[in-house]
Amino acid sequence: MTSQHNRPDELEQRERLLREKEVEIRLREMEQEMSANNPPLHKTVKHQAEDYPKPWMKKAILAGKLFTLGVVALVAVRIASVLAGFVIIGVLGWVAYKLFLENRKKPS
């Protein structure tokens, strides 16, 4: 009697083991397919042309631009200060004219 009761359990266990083996085999097949599809990777190197500026050349160009910017700023400040001087002298002259040289109103 016990062997008849164990028979369905034994069959279920064998079926389960068979399914597990089938799954493992299918997973291995899928892994092989995936690894076969991946092309080999090669390390690439960036191509630099002969006329490409060297790193020190970039720094020299940047320094030149900065120097030019400084000179332009200095010239702009000088021009602004001269113009401000002219404006100040003009305003002082106008005020002096209004105070001292302009004809007074007719005396009554």
Side-chain angles (χ1 to χ4, degrees):
M1 258 259 174
T2 57
S3 64
Q4 288 179 351
H5 289 294
N6 290 340
R7 184 78 175 152
D9 291 338
E10 185 181 334
L11 286 176
E12 282 182 30
Q13 185 177 6
R14 283 186 182 179
E15 285 179 16
R16 193 175 327 117
L17 288 173
L18 184 61
R19 274 189 249 121
E20 287 176 5
K21 286 182 183 180
E22 288 175 353
V23 168
E24 287 177 11
I25 291 171
R26 182 61 187 142
L27 285 175
R28 278 193 218 115
E29 290 174 356
M30 289 173 66
E31 284 179 358
Q32 289 175 353
E33 288 174 9
M34 288 174 59
S35 64
N37 290 341
N38 291 341
L41 298 177
H42 300 284
K43 186 172 183 175
T44 58
V45 178
K46 184 178 179 183
H47 175 71
Q48 290 188 350
E50 296 285 329
D51 59 343
Y52 191 74
K54 307 254 186 288
W56 62 268
M57 190 68 157
K58 286 183 180 180
K59 289 181 182 178
I61 291 171
L62 183 62
K65 288 179 181 178
L66 184 61
F67 177 75
T68 305
L69 182 64
V71 168
V72 168
L74 185 64
V75 169
V77 167
R78 289 286 185 148
I79 291 172
S81 67
V82 168
L83 288 176
F86 286 149
V87 169
I88 290 172
I89 290 174
V91 168
L92 286 175
W94 181 74
V95 168
Y97 172 76
K98 284 290 191 182
L99 287 175
F100 301 112
L101 299 177
E102 191 175 51
N103 290 336
R104 302 255 180 220
K105 290 184 179 180
K106 292 181 185 179
S108 32

